[in-house]
Amino acid sequence: MIRLLQWDGLTDRACFDDWYREERDRFADMARDAAWNRLFEALGERPEWVNLPRPGNRSGFSPTCSTSSNRCPYGP
């Protein structure tokens, strides 16, 4: 069960340190590349990231929004 979700609402990449920015980019890249098994493994480790967009992304869409548009076998 997810007990705490994160949503930072920050769109400036400079607000994050290098390590965190690289991890979040890696997470977003998994969705962009339709690497669903890796994405859901990462969510198993960090379930609170389910709604976090790529740092600097002004659309507000999270990587998991790609599940419906990118033919994810686990999506709606």
Side-chain angles (χ1 to χ4, degrees):
M1 171 186 279
I2 300 172
R3 296 194 175 144
L4 175 67
L5 298 176
Q6 292 180 11
W7 186 80
D8 51 40
L10 300 173
T11 57
D12 184 357
R13 290 180 63 83
C15 291
F16 303 102
D17 65 23
D18 291 340
W19 174 87
Y20 188 70
R21 193 171 44 241
E22 288 169 10
E23 286 295 303
R24 291 267 302 275
D25 282 341
R26 187 179 66 81
F27 180 66
D29 289 347
M30 291 176 205
R32 180 201 62 205
D33 299 340
W36 304 123
N37 289 334
R38 289 183 20 227
L39 178 80
F40 286 102
E41 285 174 13
L43 280 173
E45 295 171 12
R46 292 191 174 95
E48 67 278 6
W49 281 20
V50 71
N51 285 323
L52 288 181
R54 180 188 299 272
N57 177 355
R58 296 184 188 276
S59 75
F61 289 114
S62 71
T64 53
C65 291
S66 296
T67 59
S68 61
S69 63
N70 223 356
R71 298 184 193 178
C72 176
Y74 313 112

